[in-house]
Amino acid sequence: METKFKFAQDLIQEAGSFIRDEMAKTLKIEEKTQFDDLVTNLDKATQDLMIAKIIKNYPNDFIFAEEDGVRHSVEHGNVWVLDPIDGTVNFIVQGEHFAVMIAYFEDGIGKFGLIYDVMGDLLYCGGGSFPVCVNGKPIPRYQDTPLNRTLLGTNAGMFADNYHGIRDLAKQTLGVRVYGGAGISMTQVMLGHLLGYFSCIQPWDYAAALIMGENLGYTLLTIDGEKPDFSTRQSIMFVPKAKLPEIKTYIK
Ligand code: IPD
Ligand code: CA
Ligand code: CA
């Protein structure tokens, strides 16, 4: 597993360096389901690059990736879950605050996860039998903090609608922060900079953080408190396990 974990770290950094090199060229931007659901030629080219390297090195492994309908269930065999650019809107508009994400599963068991903040050059990785580190430095486990000394990460629409009581929970904290990328938001939870992250996202958006978070005292559940299904878009929360009972008094 160590060789595979090292391969994944090299791969995600190569993907990031490819994006940094290519992003100065004119992007081809397409709308997917609606005007704010965007994909670029670089999302697709980065995914292609990652898949080609995985299949060359591990020809019997499977892929579950965001673009072009590449979908193999994480439950069966050795499966790589890929989000080539998480925060594509940030990537297009800001040219920063986006990430590449990888999660690796064997028969449904998460073995490691990686989130690479490309422009910040910050690699968060670990989980399973590996310590969770940022650029090689171990991240401490969750340390209990009262709600009124925390900030909450949330999807802006869900906050505005007080979806399942998210605004009620936010009112117990010092405020909300909206980063515009699931991956980068969840790294902020793991660092203890956010109490939690609430959003409506897909398996490739949450897989890496779920695996890493388990080693640090966090849990990723649907807003109803169930395990996510790893196949559809769901409303999720990524929160400290120790805080779940208190959070559930606000989240209905
Ligand atoms: C999106 C981002 C965004 C979240 C969306 C995701 P993408 O991923 O993580 O923050 O609100 O639901 O789809 O499309 O940029 O990979
Ligand atoms: Ca994503
Ligand atoms: Ca993406």
Side-chain angles (χ1 to χ4, degrees), residues 89-246:
V89 169
N90 285 357
F91 172 62
I92 293 169
V93 177
Q94 303 179 327
E96 58 181 338
H97 306 135
F98 61 89
V100 183
M101 300 204 280
I102 298 178
Y104 176 69
F105 290 80
E106 292 188 351
D107 295 325
I109 311 290
K111 298 293 182 180
F112 52 76
L114 303 92
I115 300 177
Y116 183 45
D117 172 344
V118 175
M119 303 313 281
D121 190 23
L122 293 168
L123 175 59
Y124 301 82
C125 64
S129 60
F130 301 103
V132 182
C133 295
V134 51
N135 285 358
K137 191 172 165 238
I139 299 177
R141 280 182 68 81
Y142 173 71
Q143 285 170 1
D144 192 53
T145 312
L147 294 193
N148 65 5
R149 287 288 179 274
T150 66
L151 291 163
L152 190 68
T154 166
N155 168 295
M158 288 163 82
F159 171 72
D161 295 344
N162 196 23
Y163 184 79
H164 283 244
I166 290 174
R167 206 170 60 217
D168 300 333
L169 173 65
K171 276 188 187 154
Q172 310 307 312
T173 72
L174 292 168
V176 295
R177 296 291 181 270
V178 180
Y179 292 96
I184 288 193
S185 303
M186 291 192 275
T187 64
Q188 298 310 295
V189 176
M190 294 193 295
L191 292 176
H193 297 177
L194 294 176
L195 165 69
Y197 174 64
F198 288 74
S199 193
C200 185
I201 53 179
Q202 297 272 11
W204 47 81
D205 296 314
Y206 60 69
L210 182 152
I211 298 172
M212 286 190 274
E214 274 180 1
N215 281 19
L216 297 174
Y218 301 93
T219 185
L220 192 139
L221 298 170
T222 69
I223 207 145
D224 303 316
E226 306 290 331
K227 283 192 184 313
D229 66 13
F230 277 97
S231 62
T232 61
R233 183 181 288 276
Q234 290 181 292
S235 298
I236 62 86
M237 52 183 170
F238 182 53
V239 295
K241 248 189 202 152
K243 278 285 194 250
L244 199 53
E246 195 177 357

